[in-house]
């Protein structure tokens, strides 16, 4: 083997061993697009997390109100039939959101003595920064116990 053949072989290896400046710049552009996509997903996840927290809070407010209404005595004033209309909203304020809560009570009979079931619905309304007029409605039924 002669020296010329050996030098040519070594030179070709040296040329192929490194990356050119253009290849590095293209790799950086591709990497930057990927990192921008990850950053956008992170911002979206944070904002959707706030919406989920508000939905959980509204559901808890509705559940607590339904439980409070079902524990009332059968003849309590808060369990009076609202004739299909929602009551005036009551504001419930949490750390970062204000909710409007109202309820609708419906009797299963027109005569008070014949009523055996009261349908209880609680509605909670709120507005997010991204979506206006969000709501949760929770329904339950109260059966008249013997002797009530």
């Amino acid at each position: 083997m002669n020296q010329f053949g050996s030098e040519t072989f070594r030179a070709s290896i040296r040329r192929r061993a490194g990356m050119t400046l253009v290849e590095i710049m293209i790799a950086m552009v591709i990497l930057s697009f990927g990192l921008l996509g990850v950053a956008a997903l992170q911002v979206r996840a944070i904002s959707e997390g706030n919406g989920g927290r508000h939905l959980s809070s509204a559901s808890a407010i509705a559940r607590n109100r339904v439980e409070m209404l079902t524990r009332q005595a059968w003849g309590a004033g808060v369990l009076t039939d609202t004739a299909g209309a929602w009551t005036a909203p009551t504001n419930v304020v949490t750390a970062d959101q204000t909710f409007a809560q109202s309820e609708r009570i419906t009797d299963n009979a027109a005569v008070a003595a014949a009523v055996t079931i009261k349908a209880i619905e609680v509605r909670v309304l709120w507005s997010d920064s991204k979506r206006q007029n969000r709501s949760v409605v929770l329904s339950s039924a109260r059966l008249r116990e013997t002797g009530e």
Side-chain angles (χ1 to χ4, degrees):
M1 188 182 240
N2 65 17
Q3 188 178 5
F4 180 74
S6 165
E7 285 294 318
T8 306
F9 180 70
R10 287 184 190 152
S12 69
I13 288 177
R14 261 188 255 125
R15 273 183 285 180
R16 286 185 274 149
M19 295 176 56
T20 65
L21 184 60
V22 173
E23 290 172 331
I24 292 173
M25 290 176 62
I26 290 172
M28 293 295 286
V29 167
I30 292 171
L31 178 66
S32 65
F33 278 121
L35 291 176
L36 284 174
V38 169
L41 286 175
Q42 186 67 23
V43 169
R44 176 77 182 221
I46 289 170
S47 66
E48 292 299 324
N50 287 337
R53 187 174 64 244
H54 294 155
L55 179 61
S56 294
S57 296
S59 298
I61 290 167
R63 183 191 68 235
N64 290 341
R65 183 65 178 163
V66 165
E67 288 176 1
M68 192 280 299
L69 289 170
T70 56
R71 286 192 307 261
Q72 296 294 316
W74 183 261
V78 293
L79 290 177
T80 304
D81 191 342
T82 60
W86 292 98
T87 60
T90 305
N91 285 339
V92 177
V93 181
T94 62
D96 63 342
Q97 185 69 40
T98 301
F99 299 93
Q101 164 189 293
S102 57
E103 57 261 350
R104 176 169 52 192
I105 311 295
T106 309
D107 295 341
N108 71 334
V111 179
V115 173
T116 57
I117 298 175
K118 290 183 182 279
I120 301 170
E121 295 176 275
V122 175
R123 178 177 65 182
V124 179
L125 304 167
W126 76 100
S127 292
D128 276 354
S129 59
K130 290 173 41 176
R131 297 182 200 114
Q132 300 296 314
N133 302 325
R134 298 197 64 193
S135 67
V136 169
V137 177
L138 188 60
S139 301
S140 183
R142 168 94 193 275
L143 180 63
R144 185 176 197 167
E145 301 279 333
T146 307
E148 277 190 296

